[in-house]
Amino acid sequence: MSWYSTGTVSVTNGATLVTGTGTGWFGALQNGWGFVGPDGRLYEIESITDAASLTLGTAYQGATASPQAYAIFPTNSLDIALVASVQSLITNYQSIYDGAGQGKFPDGTLGAPGWRFLADLDSGARRIGDNNWALVAGGTDIIKLFTDRAEMLALEDTPIGQATPAVASFSAVNVVGPSPVMDLSNSDDPASHQRTRFLRWTDVFRMATRDDAGASVSIDYEMRLGALGATSHSWRVEGVEGLKLTSDGLGVGVAPIAGSAVTVKSDSAAHLALRRHSSDGVVQLSLDPSRNGVGSRDASIRSVQDGSTQVGMSFFTSSAADPVERLRIRYDGHIHPGTDDAQSLGTASFRWDDFYATNTAIQSSDERLKHGIRVLNDAEKRVAASLMAGTRIYQWIDAVEAKGENAARLHCGFIAQDVEAAFDAEGLDVGRYSLFTRTPVTKTVTKTREVERQVTETITSDVMEVEVVDGVAVQTLVSKTVKQGVMADIPLVDEDGTKIGTHRIPVMEIVAEEYAVEEPNGDRLGLRYAELMCFLMAAS
């Protein structure tokens, strides 16, 4: 490269400033080049200020003079500076090369995402954990993607589209795959919440609760699908099926029984079923202790048709055979037994107290219904005569115990044991006469049995409630204490036996439960006063 000597210079003794006339130094010269002054000495150029000003590294030693010839020549300082600049560039670029240059970015924060825009520094993407990241807008997480949550996509407090379609909205949201899954969560803190999962298989749609590790907590809803749509719906509470709807009907706590509109599980040993009994409009409410379906060995209440338009109600019970009608309330209000001359009103163990009526009871006395009609024989007349003096005044023991001897009312009548003794005295079997009764009685005994039931625990949790105050809906956080069933996790495996997670089941326990039974407790004697009075008339 040739020397530079265009124009003239002005120098001052003892100064470092050199001023040029007609020169163009800036951009043409480099710091560190050599300057040959008018005094013939060699100086190093420290810096170039502009086209007509430069500074020497040492003070000019010659006499002050202007305008003077000069010369400037290049040195190796250019190569050294170039090397230094390149080294600085490499050093500064190294982090970019190792990071963004290879598609690697820092984790970033909400206010400064790992990659962001020059004109929008708080929008972009950031890393939120191992294999998890989020899209950020305006310093807020909008969309989170979790690979440690079974590759779930989370929309954090962000609507899909806008309420006003003209602004922005989705016409449809499609999740497509062999087993598509969508999770909903109200927090990103794995220690404080569970997720609601929606998933679809070939013929099943399910809503379930899972923890943040992806393990199953409970199955809350399940819909089975067929060629024409849903074939069944099942709702579960704490993992236990509480409501099921199929073509057979609606089941509460149990699968619906075929032919029933509604089936209710009342306890561990009986089902309650509501169904249309037949095509004639009869509606039946049945209790089926056998669980074998409505119709066999059940108790039921049924609506019945008395004629073409009149509707009454019947009560059916059974022991081992098909249900038998026991009582009917007719459409006109009359009540009658289900079978003629086959049932009693009350028992020796369970008696009615008082009977109020306008008229007395009507008892059949049609000759056409009677056999062996005769008058009393001599022995029977002697029994009647002896009983004529057997009328007694007495008080009921339970009335005395309840009211006291002075308050309990006095009754007039016969003593059944006296009647029995009178017949025995004449050698007659009192048991053959219907005026006398001897009926077994029972007593209610409380016993204990072991039953299996779910373990429960009492928990207190905070729930959001909304109350309308002065026309304004106010949302508050309140604490509620409830009892809930205890659940346990068991391994969940696929068809090959490979563990794929956990499944939650109820924790059961054996507890003692009291129940009531009727046991024999001797017998009770009784009299049919209408027949006894007729018997006594023979002695008058």
Side-chain angles (χ1 to χ4, degrees), residues 120-172:
D120 200 355
L121 296 178
D122 59 355
S123 297
R126 73 182 186 97
R127 178 179 177 272
I128 56 176
D130 292 342
N131 300 316
N132 301 330
W133 62 285
L135 294 180
V136 182
T140 302
D141 288 335
I142 301 301
I143 298 178
K144 292 183 178 181
L145 293 100
F146 301 97
T147 57
D148 63 348
R149 299 184 186 179
E151 298 183 350
M152 291 293 98
L153 170 67
L155 302 178
E156 299 290 321
D157 299 325
T158 303
I160 300 179
Q162 296 281 334
T164 305
V167 178
S169 67
F170 289 92
S171 60

Side-chain angles (χ1 to χ4, degrees), residues 1 13 31 84 107 221 226 253 260 276 291 302 304 323 332 345 450 453 457 538:
M1 184 175 181
N13 179 262
N31 298 340
D107 289 356
Y221 168 75
S260 300
R276 185 184 178 93
R291 300 191 187 184
R302 306 179 187 178
V304 294
D332 53 11
L345 186 63
E450 290 187 340
R453 69 181 184 189
E457 61 181 353

Side-chain angles (χ1 to χ4, degrees), residues 74-357:
T75 66
N76 288 334
S77 64
L78 179 61
D79 297 335
I80 296 172
L82 178 61
V83 171
S85 297
V86 171
Q87 185 61 48
S88 176
L89 178 62
I90 293 174
T91 300
N92 293 334
Y93 181 74
Q94 187 66 48
S95 61
I96 298 177
Y97 172 78
D98 292 339
Q102 298 187 42
K104 303 174 184 177
F105 299 90
D107 289 356
T109 63
L110 283 173
W115 62 263
R116 53 193 183 275
F117 306 99
L118 286 174
D120 200 355
L121 296 178
D122 59 355
S123 297
R126 73 182 186 97
R127 178 179 177 272
I128 56 176
D130 292 342
N131 300 316
N132 301 330
W133 62 285
L135 294 180
V136 182
T140 302
D141 288 335
I142 301 301
I143 298 178
K144 292 183 178 181
L145 293 100
F146 301 97
T147 57
D148 63 348
R149 299 184 186 179
E151 298 183 350
M152 291 293 98
L153 170 67
L155 302 178
E156 299 290 321
D157 299 325
T158 303
I160 300 179
Q162 296 281 334
T164 305
V167 178
S169 67
F170 289 92
S171 60
V173 177
N174 292 328
V175 182
V176 181
S179 298
V181 175
M182 178 181 293
D183 279 8
L184 301 181
S185 174
N186 63 356
S187 170
D188 61 357
D189 181 3
S192 67
H193 78 293
Q194 297 173 335
R195 291 177 289 150
T196 298
R197 169 167 291 187
F198 298 89
L199 65 157
R200 167 71 187 272
W201 295 324
T202 302
D203 59 352
V204 176
F205 170 78
R206 178 177 290 175
M207 182 179 74
T209 300
R210 304 180 77 86
D211 60 26
D212 281 271
S216 174
V217 175
S218 64
I219 298 173
D220 306 312
Y221 168 75
E222 185 174 277
M223 176 174 64
R224 294 280 175 173
L225 300 169
L228 300 178
T231 59
S232 70
H233 299 266
S234 173
W235 291 265
R236 305 185 184 189
V237 178
E238 296 179 354
V240 179
E241 188 173 59
L243 193 66
K244 188 168 186 177
L245 177 64
T246 70
S247 58
D248 288 330
L250 179 65
V252 181
V254 65
I257 298 173
S260 300
V262 180
T263 306
V264 179
K265 180 180 180 181
S266 56
D267 57 34
S268 59
H271 291 166
L272 192 65
L274 175 66
R275 69 165 183 167
R276 185 184 178 93
H277 182 62
S278 62
S279 60
D280 61 1
V282 174
V283 177
Q284 174 179 338
L285 180 65
S286 300
L287 178 65
D288 178 22
S290 67
R291 300 191 187 184
N292 291 330
V294 175
S296 63
R297 300 199 308 170
D298 67 1
S300 63
I301 302 174
R302 306 179 187 178
S303 67
V304 294
Q305 288 188 280
D306 296 323
S308 59
T309 59
Q310 299 88 354
V311 178
M313 180 176 294
S314 289
F315 298 82
F316 287 71
T317 64
S318 67
S319 54
D322 289 339
V324 176
E325 184 179 15
R326 304 299 187 185
L327 182 69
R328 177 177 295 197
I329 303 176
R330 289 164 43 94
Y331 72 94
D332 53 11
H334 296 314
I335 301 175
H336 64 72
T339 304
D340 181 41
D341 194 21
Q343 300 164 208
S344 300
L345 186 63
T347 68
S349 302
F350 297 93
R351 299 163 293 167
W352 298 99
D353 187 11
D354 293 308
F355 175 76
Y356 294 89

